[in-house]
Amino acid sequence: MRLARIGVLLSGRGSNFQALAEACEAGVLPAKIAVVVSNVEDAGGLDHARRLGLDAVAVAHRGLQRTEHERLVDETLREQDADWVCLAGYMRLLSPWFVDRWKWRIVNIHPSLLPSFPGLHVHEQVLDYGARVSGCTVHLVDGGMDTGPIVTQRAVAVEDGDDPAKLAARVLEQEHLAYPEAMRRLLTESWRVQGRRLVFGPAIDG
Ligand code: GRF
């Protein structure tokens, strides 16, 4: 059976990409990392991908319009025959054109329990608000920011002595479990999107 081919988009260190790559390598996730693409030329995640012998491509966005940049990213993904796009710390919003072209094939991980605390500076927001529970969310990408149907979530208790770095580290541990687990379910189970819900299991007629 042909393994699903995942294209990873990242902008930074890429620890979530590494978790996905390890799960593929271990056979836990029946997939192969087809290519790693970054808009940041010196992203740590690109170096790591190269060390693993994976295709790693920088597609700089500087000087390009969003759609021009996305067309190049899209070409790179298609050249490598990707079926899925996993965002792993990709710090750019995707246009409706790109989201539509990869409809329900783009997955993102966000370091909070959505819909609470979307966007940036998440752990600061959580601590400023005084939330007692945080966590992470893996979701399909729709046209909004951090708004698509949820695949899985993992909760993390907020401790009294937390600062953003401490909380981020504990959430990140859960991210590394959640992302491969969510991808495994998407690849091995049947599912559909009903309204804003992602429902696992075969569709029931009538
Ligand atoms: C993670 O916290 C992820 O949830 C968010 O960006 C961070 C990326 O970290 N979208 P890494 O580059 O995967 O280590």
Side-chain angles (χ1 to χ4, degrees), residues 2-65:
R2 177 183 175 277
L3 286 177
R5 295 178 63 81
I6 296 176
V8 176
L9 304 190
L10 54 77
S11 302
R13 68 190 160 184
S15 70
N16 278 289
F17 145 63
Q18 287 180 48
L20 290 171
E22 280 164 21
C24 290
E25 201 52 43
V28 175
L29 182 56
K32 184 180 167 19
I33 305 293
V35 63
V36 177
V37 182
S38 181
N39 61 312
V40 177
E41 279 150 309
D42 59 357
L46 283 179
D47 291 338
H48 191 80
R50 290 187 186 113
R51 282 199 295 276
L52 293 176
L54 297 170
D55 275 311
V57 184
V59 182
H61 63 267
R62 219 167 309 111
L64 297 180
Q65 292 195 335

Side-chain angles (χ1 to χ4, degrees), residues 12-17 88-91 108-111 172 175-176:
R13 68 190 160 184
S15 70
N16 278 289
F17 145 63
Y90 188 62
M91 302 305 284
N108 183 40
I109 186 154
H110 182 78
L172 195 64
E175 292 184 43
H176 296 163

